[in-house]
Amino acid sequence: MQKGFFVLAFKLAVLSVSSAVAAPAPYKDPLDMQTLNDIESHFDEVMELANRHDIKALHEMFWQSPSTLLVAKSADPSEGNWAGFWGNGAIDQKLHDIAASGPVVLTPDRSKLKVVGLTSDVAESYAPVTITVSYAGQDGKPEPFLMMFTWIKISNEWKIASEIILPVPPVPVAKGLPAKEPQ
C-alpha cells in the first residue's frame, strides 16, 4: 500500500513539473491588426501635424486629462535639460514654444515603427525619428531621437496619453579611435 502511494505521489510530482515547464501559449496581441493599423495611421497624422505646426489639431490628438504627459527638451534650466510636462495646458504651451522656435521637421523611420496592444484600450508605439529643430539651444540640424507614445482608447477614439521624446546619445569614442556618427 505504501509503495503504491509513493508511486502515485511520484507520478503526480512528475506531471506537475512537466506542466510547469511546458511552453507558454504564444503571445496574442489584445488588439486586432486593423486597430494596430489605425494607431499607426494616428502616429503618421501626429508627424504630419507637428511638421505643419498645427498645435490646435495636435491638441485634439491628446487625451484631455491632467494626467497626459509630454517628455521633451526644456528651455528652462530649473527644469533640467529634459522634463515632463503634465496636462493639456502645459503640453499645448510646450508644443507652441517649440513650433515658434523656427522650422521643425520630424522624419520617422517607418520601417522601425512598432505598435503593440497592452490591453483592449491601451497601446504603445515606438519609432526612431530624425528631428530638425532650433528649440532651447538645439542647432537646427537633423538629430536622432526615439519617440514613444502610450495610446488610450476614449469613446472609441485613440488618443495620446503620453509622448516621450528622447535624444539618441552619440556613440562613445573608444580610446585611440576616431568618433563615429550615430546611424
Side-chain angles (χ1 to χ4, degrees), residues 39-54:
I39 295 169
E40 283 188 20
S41 294
H42 289 311
F43 174 87
D44 292 337
E45 184 179 358
V46 170
M47 298 298 107
E48 179 185 322
L49 295 172
N51 287 335
R52 288 196 335 237
H53 296 193
D54 192 338

Side-chain angles (χ1 to χ4, degrees), residues 169-174 177-183:
V171 176
V173 177
L177 297 176
K180 291 184 180 179
E181 290 294 317
Q183 297 184 11

Side-chain angles (χ1 to χ4, degrees), residues 53 55 58 89-102 135:
H53 296 193
I55 307 306
L58 281 169
I91 291 170
D92 290 348
Q93 185 62 55
K94 176 55 61 182
L95 294 176
H96 175 270
D97 294 349
I98 293 169
S101 72
Y135 176 73

Side-chain angles (χ1 to χ4, degrees), residues 9 107 130:
T107 308
T130 300

Side-chain angles (χ1 to χ4, degrees), residues 40 43 56 69 77 82 95 110 124 126 128 137 152-153 156:
E40 283 188 20
F43 174 87
K56 184 177 179 183
L69 170 65
W82 289 77
L95 294 176
R110 280 294 264 110
E124 62 186 0
Y126 160 90
I152 185 169
K153 190 174 184 183
N156 290 324

Side-chain angles (χ1 to χ4, degrees), residues 63-84:
W63 177 34
Q64 301 303 301
S65 167
S67 297
T68 303
L69 170 65
L70 171 68
V71 175
K73 177 88 168 114
S74 176
D76 182 349
S78 71
E79 296 171 332
N81 197 24
W82 289 77

Side-chain angles (χ1 to χ4, degrees), residues 157-175:
E157 290 187 64
W158 288 96
K159 300 290 183 176
I160 301 166
S162 68
E163 176 180 346
I164 301 172
I165 306 165
L166 297 175
V168 175
V171 176
V173 177
K175 292 182 182 180

